[in-house]
Amino acid sequence: MTRALRDQTAIIWLLAAIAIAIWRKWVPDSAWLMVHLVLLGALSHSVMVWSEHFAKTLLRVPLSQCATGRYGMLALGSLAVLVSMPANFWAGVVTGATLIAGAVIWHLSAILQALRRALPTRFRKVTYYYLASSIFLPIGASFGAALAYGLSDTWHARSLAAHIILNVFGWIGLTVIGTLVTFWPTLLRARMDDRAEKLAAHALPIFIVAIAVGVTGALTGARWVILGGLLIYIVGLIWVGRSMILPIKKRGITEFAPASVGAALLWALVGMCFMVVRLAMSWESFTDTIFTTAGIFALGFGVQILLGALTHLFPMAIGGGPAGSRAALTELTRLSTWRLTVTNLGLVLLLLPLPKWMWVGVAVVTIAAVAAFLPLLFRALFAALRIKHAQQNESAPANATQAEDSAAASAQVAAPTAAKPGIERTLVRPGQFVAAVLTLTVALTVGVTLQPATFVLTLNHMFTATGDSANAVSPTGETTEVTVTAADMRFTPSSIDVPAGNRLVITVVNEDEVSSHDLVVADRRTKRLLPGESEVLDAGIITTSIEGWCSIAGHRQMGMVIQINAIGGSEASSASAQKNGGHNHGSAHIMPDLDQQLHQVIDPKLPQRTDATVHKLNIDVTELPLEVAPGIWQKRWTFNGKSVAPTLRGRVGDTFEITLTNNGTMGHSIDFHAGALAPDEPMRTIPPGESLVYTFKAERAGIWLYHCATHPMASHIAAGMHGAVIIEPDHLEPVENEFVFVQSEIYLGDQYDSPETAQEVNADKVLAESPDLMAFNGIADQYVQNPIEVPVGERVRIWLMDAGPTRAFPFHIVGTQFDTTWTEGAYTLKAGRDAFGYPQGGAQVLPLLAAQGGFVELVFPEAGTYTAVNHAMIDGEKGARAIFKAVEK
């Protein structure tokens, strides 16, 4: 079992990665899966196996038993992460990360125990690399779990950088470096540099400092500190890399295994340099190109180091003696030059801005070159088994421990291993090199055939580009001027063609009669234009096809986008498109700081009803930053300047006269569910600066919602434009205590730490129904921080309204039961009696859907602390909760 887990797991992960690459179009998050199947699956497993094998060999003591448990725990944890992440199942990701961390900590403990038992040996200090790498992975895994949970853009970028530094440079990088100190000369069959151990010992502190500096820079958001850490790491590579030069001089690189490992190391350096450049540009540049960075590390570094190591180790581990090893190695090194050339030159081509079908063609043959190792592996297995069986038939059975002894001997450093007779120098094959170049040429040619026009445009772009080959185009000195109108949630025209390199100047005219609009193109934008206003936007030099949009919450989602086509330029990257408004994978779990005192608390006590039959109220629309939870701010759209609108109260037959004045920057309206009348005039959207009078007569009892009815309505309601009107039923008995809770959903932008940085409602999250917070009366957890005091034994009535815009509201108070419930104008229980007269009824929740309302009554039985919650607990835990403190009179 141990041997199967040790030898087969990495192959299975590689097979899965190749399968995802083939069927990636139909697999969710295929790019993420391919990267992690290689780095987390295949390479992490191999890192554990290599470090245990080489630690055992170098220390000359066996490691503790239970390797099967460690390998199995790592594989199970990796599988949990790989399955749970695309499914957005965070608990599964956490479980997987915990198992992975546990397996590596167990692995660390095994090596530590071996170190304590071992006598001093020449390469003892090399095993310290394995200890250090095992410390870094559990920390890196915790960042991976945090990324899966969902973070703001700022913390996503920081955590992503820390995750890569700890896992790629720490866990994988240190293990590979420590192993290559002794393994590299073995691959080349050459004598080791006498300085190798000393250089490795000197370099380890450099690597540890580099990783610590990089992670510190990531957590503090200091990009230049991260860059310093990466540069220190490169210095460490140069220092220890000097010991690799002498073996190359002695023997040269003449076989597939060292060539593949050497290419992997070069790609690791390319990946680090690419990461340095992107971080030097901006956080956005780093996150936008993360899958390019990950692809370099996964395909360029990870896959090639695996194939190189397996090519060398597999023939010795399979058995069959020297003859069997030679037969297996002969099979594994077939087409060496072709495979190396296609893989590495193909990866170079994939990093260029190729047209779609050219890119696909190169990707296909590159994957084929990598996948060719698998059938060769099976051929090698069968070739070795044939030799082994032939030896057995000749009554010369191989020693049962021969494979293990041979593998251990490969790591011995006392004397170099001479080239074995019968093994050809398989690397230099001019015919295969020409065939590889022809293979890639055919792939490109097929792509040109399928997409000739795009190929011509791409050539023009590549030969006129300056700076970044993917984005820069030489300015033409020409200007394209366009007039764009905004009206009815559309830009006209909705598409603009601009020769790449031209400056684009757009005159934006808001022809909408009531709504404000703006236009955002890349990092440039107009002000919010009132109806009839216009502004000239200089969009700059257009180098790539990009999208512009209206940034007012919800307008983009309703279709206010404009496509700018750079004729002769490149397409905007999918990462950039996603950053500029593509799919949002949900909200991070934002926790209010209950130790930070709220600046304002909404009084939950219901105002006393007056004897007036005509109720007049002025409602002013304002847009201002408000605290929506302790320490958390949002720019709210409000009725009368608070996070929830004022609660109105009256009786059946009363008249309400509401004057709405729009002092905001966009169109708004108001809709009272308590009135029944044609919506055309009173509910119309009015532009900034205008007013309307809304008059209605309350004809039915209920707690009724009122809200802004301007589209997108969900965003306007979620931004704070909602309140309640209570129309009492006849013969409503008075109670000692009355409260009102209006539940609402809060969708935060990326910045929410202060009034100055507060952003408006996040319309993407509204569409995804993924609120960051839930609130009673507009502020999450305000009544947790400021409990509501009620006397024991007195009757309490709580009016409830679900303002939505979408989530349900099952109201419950822990430790109590309701004896009276009233919803949507009717009693379902009254003093414990139901509609059929049964006298012993009770209720645990009042269930409300969006826009529904009602009330509950109860008496707190004894002194204590009672928590009221939305019993859809995920929403209750996001802030839809309150504390009632029952006290003796």
Side-chain angles (χ1 to χ4, degrees), residues 432-473:
Q432 290 185 24
F433 177 79
V434 172
V437 174
L438 287 175
T439 300
L440 291 167
T441 302
V442 169
L444 291 169
T445 303
V446 171
V448 172
T449 303
L450 293 173
Q451 210 172 11
T454 306
F455 172 67
V456 173
L457 293 176
T458 302
L459 278 182
N460 177 65
H461 167 68
M462 292 176 64
F463 284 107
T464 60
T466 60
D468 189 322
S469 63
N471 295 314
V473 171

CSV table of all heavy atoms in Angstrom, one decimal, residues 432-473:
chain,number,residue,atom,x,y,z
A,432,GLN,N,14.9,15.3,-34.5
A,432,GLN,CA,13.8,15.6,-33.6
A,432,GLN,C,13.6,17.1,-33.4
A,432,GLN,O,12.5,17.5,-33.3
A,432,GLN,CB,14.0,14.8,-32.3
A,432,GLN,CG,13.9,13.3,-32.4
A,432,GLN,CD,14.0,12.7,-31.0
A,432,GLN,OE1,13.7,13.3,-30.0
A,432,GLN,NE2,14.4,11.4,-31.0
A,433,PHE,N,14.7,17.8,-33.3
A,433,PHE,CA,14.6,19.2,-33.2
A,433,PHE,C,13.8,19.9,-34.4
A,433,PHE,O,12.9,20.7,-34.2
A,433,PHE,CB,15.9,19.9,-33.0
A,433,PHE,CG,15.9,21.4,-32.9
A,433,PHE,CD1,15.6,22.0,-31.7
A,433,PHE,CD2,16.2,22.2,-34.0
A,433,PHE,CE1,15.5,23.4,-31.5
A,433,PHE,CE2,16.1,23.6,-33.9
A,433,PHE,CZ,15.8,24.2,-32.6
A,434,VAL,N,14.2,19.5,-35.6
A,434,VAL,CA,13.5,20.0,-36.7
A,434,VAL,C,12.1,19.6,-36.7
A,434,VAL,O,11.2,20.3,-37.1
A,434,VAL,CB,14.2,19.5,-38.0
A,434,VAL,CG1,13.4,19.8,-39.3
A,434,VAL,CG2,15.7,20.0,-38.1
A,435,ALA,N,11.8,18.3,-36.3
A,435,ALA,CA,10.4,17.8,-36.3
A,435,ALA,C,9.6,18.7,-35.3
A,435,ALA,O,8.4,18.9,-35.5
A,435,ALA,CB,10.4,16.4,-35.9
A,436,ALA,N,10.2,19.0,-34.2
A,436,ALA,CA,9.5,19.8,-33.1
A,436,ALA,C,9.2,21.2,-33.7
A,436,ALA,O,8.0,21.7,-33.5
A,436,ALA,CB,10.4,20.0,-31.9
A,437,VAL,N,10.1,21.8,-34.4
A,437,VAL,CA,9.8,23.1,-35.0
A,437,VAL,C,8.7,23.0,-36.0
A,437,VAL,O,7.8,23.9,-36.1
A,437,VAL,CB,11.1,23.7,-35.6
A,437,VAL,CG1,10.8,25.0,-36.3
A,437,VAL,CG2,12.2,24.0,-34.5
A,438,LEU,N,8.8,22.0,-36.8
A,438,LEU,CA,7.7,21.8,-37.8
A,438,LEU,C,6.4,21.5,-37.2
A,438,LEU,O,5.3,22.0,-37.7
A,438,LEU,CB,8.1,20.6,-38.7
A,438,LEU,CG,9.2,20.9,-39.7
A,438,LEU,CD1,9.6,19.6,-40.5
A,438,LEU,CD2,8.9,22.0,-40.7
A,439,THR,N,6.4,20.8,-36.1
A,439,THR,CA,5.1,20.5,-35.4
A,439,THR,C,4.5,21.8,-34.9
A,439,THR,O,3.2,22.1,-35.1
A,439,THR,CB,5.3,19.6,-34.1
A,439,THR,OG1,5.9,18.4,-34.6
A,439,THR,CG2,4.0,19.4,-33.4
A,440,LEU,N,5.3,22.7,-34.3
A,440,LEU,CA,4.7,24.0,-33.8
A,440,LEU,C,4.3,24.9,-35.0
A,440,LEU,O,3.3,25.6,-34.9
A,440,LEU,CB,5.8,24.7,-33.0
A,440,LEU,CG,6.0,24.0,-31.6
A,440,LEU,CD1,7.3,24.6,-30.9
A,440,LEU,CD2,4.8,24.2,-30.7
A,441,THR,N,5.1,24.8,-36.1
A,441,THR,CA,4.8,25.6,-37.3
A,441,THR,C,3.4,25.1,-37.9
A,441,THR,O,2.6,26.0,-38.3
A,441,THR,CB,5.8,25.4,-38.3
A,441,THR,OG1,7.1,25.8,-37.8
A,441,THR,CG2,5.5,26.3,-39.6
A,442,VAL,N,3.2,23.8,-37.9
A,442,VAL,CA,1.9,23.3,-38.4
A,442,VAL,C,0.8,23.8,-37.5
A,442,VAL,O,-0.3,24.2,-38.0
A,442,VAL,CB,1.9,21.8,-38.5
A,442,VAL,CG1,0.5,21.2,-38.7
A,442,VAL,CG2,2.9,21.3,-39.6
A,443,ALA,N,1.0,23.8,-36.2
A,443,ALA,CA,-0.1,24.2,-35.2
A,443,ALA,C,-0.4,25.7,-35.5
A,443,ALA,O,-1.6,26.1,-35.5
A,443,ALA,CB,0.4,24.0,-33.8
A,444,LEU,N,0.6,26.5,-35.7
A,444,LEU,CA,0.4,27.9,-36.0
A,444,LEU,C,-0.3,28.1,-37.3
A,444,LEU,O,-1.2,29.0,-37.5
A,444,LEU,CB,1.7,28.7,-36.0
A,444,LEU,CG,2.4,28.8,-34.6
A,444,LEU,CD1,3.8,29.3,-34.7
A,444,LEU,CD2,1.6,29.7,-33.7
A,445,THR,N,0.1,27.3,-38.3
A,445,THR,CA,-0.5,27.4,-39.6
A,445,THR,C,-2.0,27.1,-39.6
A,445,THR,O,-2.8,27.8,-40.2
A,445,THR,CB,0.2,26.5,-40.6
A,445,THR,OG1,1.6,26.9,-40.6
A,445,THR,CG2,-0.3,26.7,-42.0
A,446,VAL,N,-2.3,26.0,-38.9
A,446,VAL,CA,-3.7,25.7,-38.7
A,446,VAL,C,-4.5,26.8,-38.1
A,446,VAL,O,-5.6,27.2,-38.5
A,446,VAL,CB,-3.9,24.4,-37.9
A,446,VAL,CG1,-5.4,24.1,-37.6
A,446,VAL,CG2,-3.3,23.2,-38.7
A,447,GLY,N,-3.9,27.5,-37.1
A,447,GLY,CA,-4.6,28.6,-36.5
A,447,GLY,C,-4.8,29.8,-37.4
A,447,GLY,O,-5.8,30.4,-37.4
A,448,VAL,N,-3.8,30.0,-38.3
A,448,VAL,CA,-3.9,31.1,-39.3
A,448,VAL,C,-5.0,30.8,-40.3
A,448,VAL,O,-5.8,31.6,-40.7
A,448,VAL,CB,-2.6,31.3,-40.0
A,448,VAL,CG1,-2.7,32.3,-41.2
A,448,VAL,CG2,-1.5,31.8,-39.1
A,449,THR,N,-5.1,29.5,-40.7
A,449,THR,CA,-6.1,29.1,-41.6
A,449,THR,C,-7.5,29.3,-41.0
A,449,THR,O,-8.4,29.7,-41.8
A,449,THR,CB,-5.9,27.6,-42.0
A,449,THR,OG1,-4.6,27.4,-42.5
A,449,THR,CG2,-6.9,27.2,-43.0
A,450,LEU,N,-7.7,29.0,-39.8
A,450,LEU,CA,-9.0,29.2,-39.1
A,450,LEU,C,-9.3,30.6,-38.8
A,450,LEU,O,-10.5,31.0,-38.7
A,450,LEU,CB,-9.0,28.3,-37.8
A,450,LEU,CG,-9.0,26.8,-38.0
A,450,LEU,CD1,-8.9,26.1,-36.7
A,450,LEU,CD2,-10.2,26.3,-38.8
A,451,GLN,N,-8.3,31.5,-38.7
A,451,GLN,CA,-8.5,32.9,-38.3
A,451,GLN,C,-7.6,33.8,-39.0
A,451,GLN,O,-6.8,34.5,-38.4
A,451,GLN,CB,-8.3,33.0,-36.7
A,451,GLN,CG,-9.2,34.0,-36.1
A,451,GLN,CD,-9.1,33.9,-34.6
A,451,GLN,OE1,-8.2,33.2,-34.0
A,451,GLN,NE2,-9.9,34.6,-33.8
A,452,PRO,N,-7.7,33.9,-40.3
A,452,PRO,CA,-6.7,34.7,-41.1
A,452,PRO,C,-6.7,36.2,-40.8
A,452,PRO,O,-5.7,36.8,-40.7
A,452,PRO,CB,-7.0,34.4,-42.5
A,452,PRO,CG,-8.5,34.0,-42.5
A,452,PRO,CD,-8.7,33.3,-41.2
A,453,ALA,N,-7.9,36.7,-40.6
A,453,ALA,CA,-8.0,38.2,-40.4
A,453,ALA,C,-7.4,38.6,-39.1
A,453,ALA,O,-6.6,39.6,-39.0
A,453,ALA,CB,-9.5,38.6,-40.4
A,454,THR,N,-7.6,37.8,-38.1
A,454,THR,CA,-7.1,38.2,-36.8
A,454,THR,C,-5.5,38.1,-36.8
A,454,THR,O,-4.8,38.8,-36.2
A,454,THR,CB,-7.6,37.2,-35.7
A,454,THR,OG1,-9.0,37.3,-35.8
A,454,THR,CG2,-7.2,37.6,-34.3
A,455,PHE,N,-5.0,37.1,-37.6
A,455,PHE,CA,-3.6,36.9,-37.7
A,455,PHE,C,-2.9,38.2,-38.3
A,455,PHE,O,-1.9,38.7,-37.8
A,455,PHE,CB,-3.3,35.7,-38.5
A,455,PHE,CG,-1.8,35.6,-38.9
A,455,PHE,CD1,-0.9,35.3,-37.9
A,455,PHE,CD2,-1.4,35.7,-40.2
A,455,PHE,CE1,0.4,35.1,-38.2
A,455,PHE,CE2,0.0,35.6,-40.5
A,455,PHE,CZ,0.9,35.3,-39.5
A,456,VAL,N,-3.6,38.7,-39.3
A,456,VAL,CA,-3.0,40.0,-39.9
A,456,VAL,C,-3.0,41.1,-39.0
A,456,VAL,O,-2.0,41.9,-38.8
A,456,VAL,CB,-3.8,40.3,-41.2
A,456,VAL,CG1,-3.4,41.6,-41.8
A,456,VAL,CG2,-3.7,39.2,-42.3
A,457,LEU,N,-4.1,41.3,-38.2
A,457,LEU,CA,-4.2,42.3,-37.2
A,457,LEU,C,-3.1,42.2,-36.1
A,457,LEU,O,-2.5,43.1,-35.7
A,457,LEU,CB,-5.6,42.4,-36.6
A,457,LEU,CG,-6.7,42.8,-37.5
A,457,LEU,CD1,-8.1,42.8,-36.8
A,457,LEU,CD2,-6.5,44.2,-38.1
A,458,THR,N,-2.9,40.9,-35.7
A,458,THR,CA,-2.0,40.7,-34.7
A,458,THR,C,-0.6,41.0,-35.1
A,458,THR,O,0.3,41.5,-34.4
A,458,THR,CB,-2.1,39.2,-34.2
A,458,THR,OG1,-3.4,38.9,-33.8
A,458,THR,CG2,-1.1,38.9,-33.1
A,459,LEU,N,-0.2,40.6,-36.4
A,459,LEU,CA,1.1,40.9,-36.9
A,459,LEU,C,1.3,42.4,-36.9
A,459,LEU,O,2.4,42.9,-36.5
A,459,LEU,CB,1.2,40.4,-38.3
A,459,LEU,CG,1.6,38.9,-38.5
A,459,LEU,CD1,1.7,38.6,-40.0
A,459,LEU,CD2,2.9,38.6,-37.8
A,460,ASN,N,0.3,43.2,-37.3
A,460,ASN,CA,0.4,44.6,-37.3
A,460,ASN,C,0.6,45.2,-35.9
A,460,ASN,O,1.4,46.0,-35.7
A,460,ASN,CB,-0.9,45.2,-37.9
A,460,ASN,CG,-0.9,46.8,-37.9
A,460,ASN,OD1,-0.1,47.4,-38.6
A,460,ASN,ND2,-1.8,47.3,-37.1
A,461,HIS,N,-0.1,44.6,-35.0
A,461,HIS,CA,0.0,45.0,-33.6
A,461,HIS,C,1.5,44.7,-33.1
A,461,HIS,O,2.1,45.5,-32.4
A,461,HIS,CB,-1.0,44.3,-32.7
A,461,HIS,CG,-0.7,44.4,-31.3
A,461,HIS,ND1,-0.8,45.6,-30.6
A,461,HIS,CD2,-0.4,43.5,-30.3
A,461,HIS,CE1,-0.6,45.4,-29.3
A,461,HIS,NE2,-0.3,44.2,-29.2
A,462,MET,N,2.0,43.5,-33.4
A,462,MET,CA,3.2,43.1,-32.8
A,462,MET,C,4.4,43.9,-33.4
A,462,MET,O,5.3,44.3,-32.7
A,462,MET,CB,3.5,41.6,-33.1
A,462,MET,CG,2.5,40.7,-32.3
A,462,MET,SD,2.8,39.0,-32.7
A,462,MET,CE,4.4,38.7,-32.2
A,463,PHE,N,4.3,44.3,-34.7
A,463,PHE,CA,5.4,45.0,-35.3
A,463,PHE,C,5.3,46.5,-35.1
A,463,PHE,O,6.2,47.3,-35.4
A,463,PHE,CB,5.4,44.7,-36.8
A,463,PHE,CG,6.0,43.4,-37.1
A,463,PHE,CD1,5.2,42.4,-37.5
A,463,PHE,CD2,7.3,43.2,-37.0
A,463,PHE,CE1,5.7,41.1,-37.8
A,463,PHE,CE2,7.9,41.9,-37.2
A,463,PHE,CZ,7.1,40.9,-37.7
A,464,THR,N,4.1,47.0,-34.5
A,464,THR,CA,4.1,48.4,-34.2
A,464,THR,C,4.1,48.7,-32.7
A,464,THR,O,4.0,49.8,-32.3
A,464,THR,CB,2.8,49.0,-34.8
A,464,THR,OG1,1.6,48.4,-34.2
A,464,THR,CG2,2.7,48.9,-36.3
A,465,ALA,N,4.1,47.6,-31.9
A,465,ALA,CA,4.0,47.7,-30.4
A,465,ALA,C,5.3,48.3,-29.9
A,465,ALA,O,6.4,48.0,-30.4
A,465,ALA,CB,3.7,46.4,-29.8
A,466,THR,N,5.2,49.0,-28.8
A,466,THR,CA,6.4,49.4,-28.0
A,466,THR,C,6.1,49.1,-26.6
A,466,THR,O,4.9,49.1,-26.2
A,466,THR,CB,6.6,50.9,-28.1
A,466,THR,OG1,5.4,51.6,-27.7
A,466,THR,CG2,6.9,51.3,-29.5
A,467,GLY,N,7.1,48.9,-25.8
A,467,GLY,CA,6.8,48.5,-24.4
A,467,GLY,C,6.3,47.1,-24.2
A,467,GLY,O,6.8,46.2,-24.8
A,468,ASP,N,5.3,47.0,-23.4
A,468,ASP,CA,4.7,45.7,-23.2
A,468,ASP,C,4.1,45.2,-24.5
A,468,ASP,O,3.2,45.7,-25.0
A,468,ASP,CB,3.6,45.9,-22.1
A,468,ASP,CG,3.1,44.5,-21.6
A,468,ASP,OD1,2.9,43.6,-22.5
A,468,ASP,OD2,2.8,44.4,-20.4
A,469,SER,N,4.6,44.0,-24.9
A,469,SER,CA,4.1,43.5,-26.2
A,469,SER,C,2.7,43.1,-26.2
A,469,SER,O,2.1,43.1,-27.3
A,469,SER,CB,4.9,42.3,-26.6
A,469,SER,OG,4.7,41.2,-25.6
A,470,ALA,N,2.0,42.9,-25.1
A,470,ALA,CA,0.6,42.5,-25.0
A,470,ALA,C,-0.3,43.7,-25.1
A,470,ALA,O,-1.4,43.6,-25.4
A,470,ALA,CB,0.4,41.7,-23.8
A,471,ASN,N,0.2,44.9,-24.7
A,471,ASN,CA,-0.7,46.0,-24.6
A,471,ASN,C,-0.3,47.3,-25.3
A,471,ASN,O,-1.1,48.1,-25.6
A,471,ASN,CB,-0.9,46.4,-23.1
A,471,ASN,CG,-1.5,45.2,-22.3
A,471,ASN,OD1,-2.5,44.7,-22.8
A,471,ASN,ND2,-1.0,44.9,-21.2
A,472,ALA,N,1.0,47.5,-25.5
A,472,ALA,CA,1.5,48.8,-26.0
A,472,ALA,C,1.4,48.9,-27.5
A,472,ALA,O,1.7,47.9,-28.2
A,472,ALA,CB,2.9,49.1,-25.6
A,473,VAL,N,0.9,50.0,-28.1
A,473,VAL,CA,0.8,50.3,-29.5
A,473,VAL,C,1.4,51.6,-29.7
A,473,VAL,O,1.2,52.6,-29.0
A,473,VAL,CB,-0.6,50.2,-30.0
A,473,VAL,CG1,-0.7,50.6,-31.4
A,473,VAL,CG2,-1.2,48.8,-29.9
